[in-house]
Amino acid sequence: MSSSTPHSPHTQRDLKKARTRRALLDAGLELLEEQSLSSIGLREITRAVGISPAAFYRHFRDVADLGVALVEESLGTLHAVIQAGLTERSEDGERIDHLVDAIARFVREHPEHIRFVVRERHGGVAAVRTAIGTQLDRFAEEVAGALARDEVSRGWSAEDLRMLGETYVDHMVMTASAFLEAAQGEGPPEDVVAYTARRQLRLISLGRRHWISDPASPAP
Amino acid sequence: MSSSTPHSPHTQRDLKKARTRRALLDAGLELLEEQSLSSIGLREITRAVGISPAAFYRHFRDVADLGVALVEESLGTLHAVIQAGLTERSEDGERIDHLVDAIARFVREHPEHIRFVVRERHGGVAAVRTAIGTQLDRFAEEVAGALARDEVSRGWSAEDLRMLGETYVDHMVMTASAFLEAAQGEGPPEDVVAYTARRQLRLISLGRRHWISDPASPAP
DNA sequence: GCGCTCGGCGCACAACTGTTTACTGAGGCC
DNA sequence: GGCCTCAGTAAACAGTTGTGCGCCGAGCGC
């Protein structure tokens, strides 16, 4: 858990505190560009911010603690995008295009956030790992809920919807990661990534349309 | 690149060298259980093996260098499993079951290998990241090639087959990761993971069967 | 205005890091 | 059998690390 986080920064002292807290988070996010959380030093962060090492403890117990705070932040912004995408209603082909575009745009606007999530999702810090895991689980649940309100989902069991939701979330994260790599020239260029992502979504959409929830082989 | 790796350890001196090299790799793999490569210290590794820090340089230039060597190793064993799975011929339902079982078995036998791959695939060490990336790309290519020799793939464009191959490889890696988390009690239990993985494969298989390669919207 | 709160500082601590140097000694080669 | 190769050693190097302590001093509530 994060240390004391004033919900209402009325006084100008709390405001100042919130500001250096932000600076710490930003510095951590930036340092994560070329290493992983478990190798970032506390001093390294404070040095980047310009405060003394001891001051770090006024905001976080740990570097891992800061990491957990970053999870809230990064996945909070992603959450907004997801919900926006879920409420959107349009024909299937367009919908896929819009979704892929939305992901591309998000990566362009918040590259550090998705880098952090992708890198630490299976990273070396257990607390951060599980924080990301439970958060993505919630996303999958939400997506499943939205899918249930879809005419195509007639006859789908709750478990199958959940499975589909996970598939979409995982695909989204991987696509975002691919876009990020494209942006830093580490993989195929952006348009190729988008083209692949669209076809993969089409594949899933096709499988979805011909799916039959099979009561003969239930959950274990 | 890795430092000198004797291909023919004839002499008992080269044999001894190969043995401590193995010990270094194993130690690294074990230390990776609870941290990521970029935070592992050279001294930490040599301490675990029981040799002096300086001796490390006789085998690797870097910890990153050792990481690249681990990529070859880990993905080499995975490669064998994939090829075995590709040559197997059976009815669709069975095939999926066998594939998922094969993944589960592999994770049970080589947990450290897949932990390493999953953790460092998007990890903080660029050299290792790209090594894993190109390796997985080759896997996708191979899978695509095998899929092409399938009666279902009639009329599929090369690009679409490639896309499908990537989808399968990504799904395999993620499933392996989920199995690993199950094994260490960090996620849903093994049978649930298997159940989900099977249904996801069924979804893809369904989409595959109804796919039409669209010449009207070609690659960008 | 006074006393208290508390973010930030400076300093010290012991422990650790990667890398270099000159060395030893068992095994290889002819 | 004697020289040579070379994996591994011990010691020293200059940095770095996380954490604890006591102390400011600006801002707060009363």
Side-chain angles (χ1 to χ4, degrees):
Chain A
M1 284 304 110
S2 288
S3 306
S4 59
T5 309
H7 276 258
S8 47
H10 293 106
T11 100
Q12 73 180 96
R13 202 150 65 163
D14 288 341
L15 208 141
K16 165 96 173 174
K17 171 160 185 178
R19 227 180 292 132
T20 78
R21 185 188 140 99
R22 262 250 54 82
L24 285 169
L25 291 169
D26 287 341
L29 224 31
E30 198 182 322
L31 287 171
L32 261 139
E33 235 170 80
E34 36 202 34
Q35 62 190 308
S36 29
L37 187 65
S38 73
S39 69
I40 294 188
L42 179 154
R43 289 181 111 107
E44 207 174 347
I45 300 176
T46 58
R47 198 182 312 130
V49 172
I51 63 175
S52 87
F56 181 90
Y57 296 104
R58 304 286 185 199
H59 302 270
F60 304 100
R61 206 179 304 115
D62 242 0
V63 179
D65 190 24
L66 182 147
V68 174
L70 281 177
V71 174
E72 319 281 314
E73 169 152 314
S74 301
L75 291 187
T77 59
L78 224 195
H79 191 217
V81 173
I82 290 179
Q83 284 198 320
L86 288 181
T87 56
E88 187 191 332
R89 298 243 132 254
S90 48
E91 199 38 60
D92 227 63
E94 277 187 28
R95 204 177 182 183
I96 285 179
D97 292 353
H98 287 169
L99 178 55
V100 173
D101 284 351
I103 298 175
R105 202 176 325 119
F106 180 79
V107 173
R108 239 176 281 123
E109 284 167 8
H110 307 283
E112 342 75 27
H113 283 177
I114 90 100
R115 173 180 292 114
F116 170 70
V117 171
V118 171
R119 181 158 296 168
E120 299 303 325
R121 167 131 113 114
H122 307 281
V125 182
V128 173
R129 229 163 41 217
T130 65
I132 294 177
T134 60
Q135 208 69 237
L136 290 184
D137 261 18
R138 287 206 318 164
F139 288 2
E141 201 82 56
E142 280 183 41
V143 172
L147 289 171
R149 282 181 284 286
D150 217 283
E151 74 263 37
V152 201
S153 306
R154 203 164 290 281
W156 280 63
S157 74
E159 293 157 326
D160 286 350
L161 280 170
R162 177 63 209 259
M163 177 275 287
L164 190 60
E166 286 178 28
T167 306
Y168 277 126
V169 170
D170 281 338
H171 181 265
M172 188 193 69
V173 172
M174 289 200 339
T175 302
S177 165
F179 273 129
L180 181 65
E181 285 175 7
Q184 57 199 43
E186 265 194 32
E190 177 171 321
D191 51 356
V192 174
V193 171
Y195 177 57
T196 302
R198 279 195 299 266
R199 282 175 307 155
Q200 283 171 331
L201 284 174
R202 192 147 70 89
L203 186 76
I204 296 173
S205 172
L206 233 42
R208 185 150 104 87
R209 215 179 307 279
H210 295 91
W211 184 265
I212 41 162
S213 273
D214 186 5
S217 71
Chain B
M1 284 303 112
S2 288
S3 305
S4 59
T5 308
H7 275 258
S8 47
H10 295 106
T11 99
Q12 75 181 95
R13 201 148 67 164
D14 287 343
L15 207 143
K16 164 92 173 177
K17 172 161 184 176
R19 227 181 291 132
T20 80
R21 187 188 139 98
R22 263 250 56 81
L24 285 169
L25 291 169
D26 288 341
L29 225 30
E30 199 182 322
L31 287 170
L32 232 45
E33 236 170 81
E34 36 202 34
Q35 63 189 307
S36 30
L37 187 64
S38 72
S39 69
I40 294 188
L42 177 155
R43 287 183 112 106
E44 207 173 346
I45 300 176
T46 58
R47 197 184 311 129
V49 172
I51 63 177
S52 89
F56 181 91
Y57 295 103
R58 304 286 184 200
H59 302 269
F60 304 100
R61 206 180 302 118
D62 244 356
V63 178
D65 190 24
L66 182 146
V68 174
L70 281 177
V71 174
E72 318 281 314
E73 170 152 314
S74 300
L75 290 187
T77 58
L78 223 194
H79 191 218
V81 173
I82 290 179
Q83 283 199 319
L86 288 182
T87 57
E88 187 190 331
R89 299 241 132 256
S90 49
E91 200 37 62
D92 227 63
E94 277 188 27
R95 205 176 181 182
I96 286 178
D97 292 354
H98 287 169
L99 179 55
V100 174
D101 284 353
I103 299 176
R105 202 176 326 118
F106 180 79
V107 173
R108 240 176 279 122
E109 284 167 8
H110 307 283
E112 340 77 27
H113 283 178
I114 92 99
R115 161 144 55 238
F116 170 70
V117 171
V118 171
R119 181 158 298 168
E120 299 302 326
R121 168 128 112 116
H122 307 281
V125 183
V128 172
R129 229 163 41 217
T130 64
I132 294 177
T134 60
Q135 210 69 237
L136 290 183
D137 260 18
R138 287 207 318 164
F139 288 3
E141 201 81 54
E142 281 184 40
V143 172
L147 289 171
R149 282 180 284 286
D150 217 283
E151 74 263 37
V152 200
S153 306
R154 203 165 288 281
W156 278 63
S157 74
E159 293 158 327
D160 285 351
L161 280 170
R162 179 60 209 260
M163 176 275 287
L164 190 60
E166 285 177 29
T167 306
Y168 276 126
V169 169
D170 282 338
H171 181 263
M172 187 192 70
V173 171
M174 288 199 341
T175 303
S177 165
F179 273 130
L180 181 65
E181 284 176 8
Q184 57 198 42
E186 265 194 33
E190 177 172 322
D191 51 356
V192 173
V193 171
Y195 179 57
T196 302
R198 279 194 300 266
R199 273 142 66 225
Q200 284 171 330
L201 284 174
R202 192 145 73 88
L203 186 75
I204 295 173
S205 170
L206 233 43
R208 184 149 104 89
R209 215 180 307 280
H210 296 90
W211 184 265
I212 41 161
S213 273
D214 187 3
S217 71

